[in-house]
Amino acid sequence: MRVIRDNPGRQLLQSSIVTIGNFDGLHLGHQALIRLCKSLAGSRHSVAVVTFEPLPAAWFRPDAAPARLTSTRQKLAILSEAGVDLVWLLRFNQALASTGAEDFVQSVLVNTLSAKTIVVGEDFRYGKGRQGDIDSLRRSGEKLGFGLHAVPMIDIDGYRASSSNIRECLANGDLEQAAHLLGRPFRMSGRVITGRQLGRQLGYPTANIRLAASPSPLEGVFAIRARWSAGDWHDGVANLGTRPAVGGEGFLVEAHLFDFNGSLYGKRMEVEFVKKLRNEAHFEDIDDLVVQMREDERQARLCLAQLNTE
């Protein structure tokens, strides 16, 4: 899969089926768009995904941006696994925000990607001030020679598969429903860094992953599974947040892996969140904290043992 950043200033493809969007989470709705692209492309056309970094909402409202469901690295990995040929990470900046709908179609879809068909969700909007919609995109296609497929939203058990609904599920601790909408368990990844070693002193060594600046859609203590270097999954328990119990600062994943001995520093770890056990809490007494950690471990082991026998 080719990854293009910013504006290449040249034609990238001879003939393509294109889908456009934020694709945060790559949920079931996004997956439906990509499957349709691949079906339409066959062996004759390339499948191209146009997405944005940063996400438009984060550019317009940096202090109130919605939590990211997938990092850029995760997004690219999922798109590669889906069989996409080219991903264009289009930098969202003032110039792009000021680009009119017709100019966007001409420069991005036609001149650069040679689009034969555009595949988007039925609520797709584009161009300066979100002035472009499905009707204007269809008219552009009639004029410039590309087709259009507007795909209806997907509902799962009465829940619309959307990034905002998934964020709401995660904020409420409903990891099961979030997984239904994502089509997979919710995961985060990052590189293991050196921590304060407090967990090791208390008998609970942790692998610490500092998250990006974007706010997290989750917070609390969770039963988890974790892996690194595409290896086997390891059961564990993790605190995700600011760690008020130990006067922590900054958002961090602290993952304690059951029955594991070894160094993980510098490794890129993927953490799968299975069940929320409780919210973060502050403990005045370190002994009370250890008692709670033991209870968290007990609950996490029970939860994961049940999962492993299903």
Side-chain angles (χ1 to χ4, degrees), residues 225 235 303-310:
R225 301 194 306 159
D235 291 349
C303 168
L304 293 163
Q306 182 179 3
L307 177 69
N308 294 333
T309 57
E310 291 178 353

Side-chain angles (χ1 to χ4, degrees), residues 14-306:
Q14 295 296 320
S15 178
S16 69
I17 310 298
V18 182
T19 184
I20 318 163
N22 293 329
F23 296 106
D24 187 27
L26 269 301
H27 54 63
L28 290 178
H30 298 143
Q31 294 168 39
L33 299 179
I34 294 167
R35 282 196 303 270
L36 179 55
C37 285
K38 289 178 62 64
S39 176
L40 293 170
S43 60
R44 298 172 54 204
H45 310 289
S46 299
V47 174
V49 171
V50 178
T51 189
F52 307 97
E53 290 293 342
L55 299 185
W59 186 84
F60 282 113
R61 298 179 301 153
D63 295 331
R68 288 285 294 261
L69 299 175
T70 44
S71 66
T72 302
R73 178 185 288 267
Q74 286 177 297
K75 183 188 295 189
L76 292 175
I78 296 169
L79 290 172
S80 178
E81 188 175 333
V84 170
D85 297 304
L86 181 144
V87 176
W88 187 357
L89 294 173
L90 197 53
R91 181 179 296 277
F92 199 91
N93 53 23
Q94 184 60 57
L96 187 59
S98 302
T99 301
E102 291 186 9
D103 289 340
F104 178 85
V105 170
Q106 182 73 62
S107 63
V108 172
L109 304 181
V110 177
N111 295 350
T112 308
L113 297 177
S114 304
K116 301 305 178 186
T117 302
I118 309 298
V119 177
V120 292
E122 61 184 359
D123 62 347
F124 177 66
R125 303 299 293 262
Y126 63 102
K128 181 180 179 180
R130 294 169 55 85
Q131 61 187 235
D133 57 15
I134 294 298
D135 290 337
S136 65
L137 190 56
R138 184 174 286 109
R139 290 193 298 270
S140 292
E142 293 170 353
K143 176 182 176 183
L144 298 171
F146 61 80
L148 174 66
H149 284 263
V151 179
M153 297 297 155
I154 290 180
D155 282 351
I156 307 295
D157 299 328
Y159 282 80
R160 175 179 164 184
S162 71
S163 301
S164 57
N165 279 349
I166 294 168
R167 290 187 194 98
E168 182 178 353
C169 290
L170 294 173
N172 293 333
D174 193 347
L175 290 161
E176 184 176 2
Q177 185 60 42
H180 284 321
L181 299 180
L182 284 165
R184 64 185 182 281
F186 179 73
R187 295 167 181 162
M188 290 180 172
S189 65
R191 199 167 298 279
V192 178
I193 63 173
T194 303
R196 294 164 55 186
Q197 308 293 319
L198 179 59
R200 185 175 300 276
Q201 297 173 32
L202 299 177
Y204 285 87
T206 59
N208 301 329
I209 302 172
R210 188 171 300 284
L211 301 180
S214 173
S216 168
L218 278 181
E219 188 171 344
V221 178
F222 300 85
I224 63 156
R225 301 194 306 159
R227 66 180 178 183
W228 49 94
S229 304
D232 296 332
W233 290 99
H234 295 258
D235 291 349
V237 62
N239 187 94
L240 171 55
T242 57
R243 298 154 295 138
V246 295
E249 296 179 359
F251 226 80
L252 198 71
V253 178
E254 289 183 313
H256 170 67
L257 306 181
F258 302 146
D259 310 314
F260 174 80
N261 291 307
S263 175
L264 295 173
Y265 294 129
K267 295 184 181 296
R268 180 164 290 277
M269 178 181 286
E270 184 176 25
V271 179
E272 178 176 299
F273 294 86
V274 177
K275 182 179 180 180
K276 183 170 183 176
L277 304 178
R278 62 177 176 86
N279 292 327
E280 283 196 296
H282 175 70
F283 294 88
E284 296 291 345
D285 190 290
I286 201 72
D287 292 334
D288 292 339
L289 171 59
V290 172
V291 169
Q292 182 61 61
M293 292 169 70
R294 289 173 180 161
E295 176 61 16
D296 293 339
E297 177 184 358
R298 186 188 71 82
Q299 291 188 34
R301 284 184 180 273
L302 286 174
C303 168
L304 293 163
Q306 182 179 3

